[in-house]
Amino acid sequence: MIEERFDAIVVGAGMAGNAAALTMAKRGMKVLQLERGEYPGSKNVQGAILYADMMEELVPGFREEAPLERHLIEQRFWMMDDRSHVGMHYRSEDFNEERPNRYTIIRAQFDKWLSSKVREAGAIVLCETTVTELAQDDNKRIIGVRTDRRDGQIHADVVVLAEGVNGLLGTRAGLRARPTPDNVALAVKEMHFLPRETIEARFNLQGDEGVVIEAAGTISRGMTGMGFIYANKECISLGIGCLVADFQRTGQTPYGLLEQFKRHPSVAPLIAGSEVKEYAAHLIPEGGYKSIPQLYGEGWVVVGDAAQLNNAIHREGSNLALTSGRIAAEAIGLLKSRGASMSATNLSIYKKMLDESFVIKDLKKYKDMPPLMHTHSQNFFLTYPQLISKAMQNFVRVDGTPKVEKERASLKSFVKARSWSGLVGDAWRFARAWR
Ligand SMILES: Cc1cc2nc3c(=O)[nH]c(=O)nc-3n(C[C@H](O)[C@H](O)[C@H](O)COP(=O)(O)OP(=O)(O)OC[C@H]3O[C@@H](n4cnc5c(N)ncnc54)[C@H](O)[C@@H]3O)c2cc1C
């Protein structure tokens, strides 16, 4: 048993846990961080885009030393049917700036590096240590953790739960309910290796410029989900994910979807001749604002994916994890500096601070989007992509048909598929959920 008592124990060394441990250690607090993986990042799966501003707040000047892949100058959104895609691209030379805004990263390398900063700041980081249970006193106050090490009970004033989307510890201790299948997506991802020059030629890139493609449409077979293709220096991250409830309902498999996605005529040429070296599957919390559980209690706070802090609409998670971890640590640091206890009443300051941040403001803005996408997935992920693709083809194909007739035919196809009231209803529901 580690006899020492800590100011804080952080469970997990992903983005949220590292942000929390680093922020508290920098403030001179005695921090123990426990990670079940062989090293930080070994268990972590992400596309992965890193948002620089949130990282800069934690490690100023991180660009000088962090393992980064490419800085993003272009974002593509593809709406796909089985043979085509309708695209929206934004590419700007402005993103070739001195301090780029977004990067692709490889989590296994990045988390390892970030963890070295946590250690440098003075925290003790123990890997290959699984927290098996939260230790509670008679009043149900969290007083520490039990681990899979022999005699592994350790005490602290506060426990930061940064255990990721499964959040087993929190649910086992009765702090929150398990995420439901309609609130989590299961994503599968592969890393396709290619020579650097090939990637740059295929994606129209120079030097360390990068591009990401987010894709939706018939690739998810009417389920709520998306695909992604991210260009790294010498590999391409490619994956697809859908709500677990939809996989259960349809009997589709993530592997099946991934294979179809890779064979799509818009995707296959990008990865042709590549060598697949990594395959991973992971859950993503996608329930949004309405699925956020209780964020604090007697002697504990929860951050990152474990708190369901993920913006599925903008495909952001790591920045919400970094920010919630940092804010929780700042709240704890504030209480400590005042000599205040880590009671639920005092820790409620974490929620107040988080409510003021972009994390909760953004999730609140899109609070109705996840249920809308789920209940109308057939329309938004199957019917409309097919209709839009057909209309686009009709628009660009030159075959002697008068344009007025073409427009009439496209409109008719929309009305036939959804009816006037259906079209107006979908537009109204979407606009309302977006506002
Ligand atoms: C396929 C995929 C693509 C994604 N793409 C992006 C993207 O491009 N951009 C973006 O911003 N976000 C993306 N995300 C989301 C992003 O990965 C998460 O939001 C982010 O990793 C959450 O960080 P976290 O620290 O909360 O959890 P995690 O990164 O999951 O870290 C949790 C850590 O806790 C450890 N742990 C769990 N239980 C225990 C225990 N009992 N004891 C000890 N350790 C434990 C785990 O081993 C892990 O290291 C993606 C997610 C997936 C699955």
Side-chain angles (χ1 to χ4, degrees):
M1 166 139 100
I2 299 179
E3 295 294 349
E4 238 179 316
R5 188 184 170 85
F6 290 88
D7 290 328
I9 292 173
V10 179
V11 183
M15 291 287 187
N18 281 333
L22 179 60
T23 307
M24 290 189 287
K26 274 204 221 159
R27 287 176 171 243
M29 291 174 64
K30 221 161 117 185
V31 178
L32 174 67
Q33 188 181 30
L34 302 167
E35 165 59 46
R36 67 183 172 160
E38 192 189 335
Y39 57 88
S42 61
K43 298 252 178 212
N44 298 339
V45 181
Q46 194 180 322
I49 305 176
L50 174 79
Y51 301 91
D53 284 7
M54 291 79 208
M55 196 59 222
E56 186 74 39
E57 290 216 39
L58 283 169
V59 184
F62 75 95
R63 292 175 182 83
E64 311 286 304
E65 47 176 317
L68 304 169
E69 289 289 309
R70 293 176 178 275
H71 66 274
L72 299 183
I73 62 151
E74 182 174 335
Q75 188 130 359
R76 302 180 191 170
F77 179 78
W78 286 357
M79 185 174 280
M80 306 175 89
D81 73 0
D82 290 348
R83 295 172 61 80
S84 336
H85 75 262
V86 180
M88 187 179 82
H89 293 190
Y90 183 69
R91 180 183 177 110
S92 177
E93 192 54 28
D94 291 349
F95 288 130
N96 269 324
E97 54 207 327
E98 203 185 317
R99 289 145 55 86
N101 178 255
R102 293 156 302 146
Y103 294 88
T104 49
I105 55 168
I106 294 173
R107 279 289 297 270
Q109 297 167 7
F110 188 86
D111 288 16
K112 220 181 198 177
W113 168 81
L114 185 53
S115 180
S116 72
K117 296 282 132 195
V118 176
R119 284 196 174 95
E120 273 172 32
I124 299 174
V125 183
L126 278 187
C127 291
E128 295 184 284
T129 308
T130 300
V131 175
T132 50
E133 215 180 328
L134 297 173
Q136 304 188 352
D137 67 10
D138 294 342
N139 299 319
K140 297 269 169 215
R141 195 192 127 74
I142 305 299
I143 52 168
V145 299
R146 280 189 269 280
T147 75
D148 60 352
R149 292 190 177 226
R150 205 150 43 95
D151 299 327
Q153 179 155 322
I154 319 165
H155 294 115
D157 293 345
V158 64
V159 174
V160 178
L161 291 163
E163 50 175 331
V165 57
N166 283 325
L168 291 178
L169 291 172
T171 48
R172 259 189 237 136
L175 307 180
R176 59 181 177 274
R178 284 196 74 166
T180 53
D182 54 340
N183 280 336
V184 279
L186 175 59
V188 285
K189 178 193 146 182
E190 286 180 352
M191 303 278 266
H192 287 251
F193 284 77
L194 282 166
R196 191 183 170 126
E197 323 75 76
T198 310
I199 292 178
E200 285 160 14
R202 286 182 187 179
F203 286 89
N204 189 19
L205 301 170
Q206 285 185 340
D208 285 345
E209 290 173 347
V211 58
V212 293
I213 303 172
E214 312 282 4
T218 61
I219 48 165
S220 67
R221 302 276 159 246
M223 300 187 285
T224 315
M226 285 185 77
F228 62 87
I229 303 168
Y230 297 167
N232 300 312
K233 277 183 183 147
E234 291 178 345
C235 66
I236 294 167
S237 307
L238 175 145
I240 189 163
C242 290
L243 286 182
V244 170
D246 285 350
F247 281 127
Q248 289 173 338
R249 176 176 58 79
T250 60
Q252 299 268 356
T253 65
Y255 320 98
L257 288 190
L258 186 65
E259 286 309 312
Q260 280 169 359
F261 185 44
K262 286 191 300 184
R263 282 200 299 268
H264 191 283
S266 298
V267 177
L270 294 175
I271 52 169
S274 63
E275 191 187 346
V276 182
K277 287 200 189 156
E278 270 181 56
Y279 180 89
H282 206 275
L283 295 173
I284 309 180
E286 299 215 333
Y289 184 74
K290 291 179 179 169
S291 68
I292 300 174
Q294 176 68 21
L295 292 170
Y296 62 89
E298 295 292 336
W300 63 273
V301 292
V302 58
V303 294
D305 274 13
Q308 304 287 304
L309 301 175
N310 199 292
N311 183 341
I313 308 301
H314 284 262
R315 319 280 291 150
E316 296 173 21
S318 62
N319 52 337
L320 279 66
L322 288 173
T323 304
S324 58
R326 174 180 59 76
I327 289 178
E330 284 172 358
I332 291 166
L334 200 68
L335 294 179
K336 170 108 179 120
S337 68
R338 290 178 187 161
S341 74
M342 299 295 159
S343 66
T345 310
N346 289 338
L347 284 168
S348 66
I349 192 177
Y350 159 50
K351 181 167 183 307
K352 285 196 196 94
M353 288 163 70
L354 201 65
D355 282 348
E356 288 305 310
S357 73
F358 79 91
V359 173
I360 299 297
K361 285 182 181 165
D362 284 357
L363 292 177
K364 207 169 185 175
K365 168 174 160 43
Y366 296 118
K367 66 181 188 316
D368 295 324
M369 214 34 132
L372 175 67
M373 288 294 130
H374 184 41
T375 48
H376 290 73
S377 62
Q378 285 284 324
N379 294 332
F380 288 121
F381 294 92
L382 206 58
T383 311
Y384 283 120
Q386 284 169 332
L387 290 169
I388 289 168
S389 173
K390 263 201 198 113
M392 275 310 289
Q393 185 162 145
N394 196 17
F395 184 72
V396 296
R397 190 183 281 280
V398 178
D399 56 6
T401 312
K403 307 295 183 216
V404 177
E405 278 179 36
K406 280 176 171 265
E407 281 170 16
R408 244 186 244 132
S410 289
L411 185 61
K412 218 166 138 193
S413 68
F414 274 73
V415 177
K416 189 170 171 221
R418 289 295 296 136
S419 79
W420 278 111
S421 59
L423 290 172
V424 173
D426 290 342
W428 183 78
R429 276 187 287 270
F430 189 82
R432 220 168 73 107
W434 190 268
R435 84 197 134 95

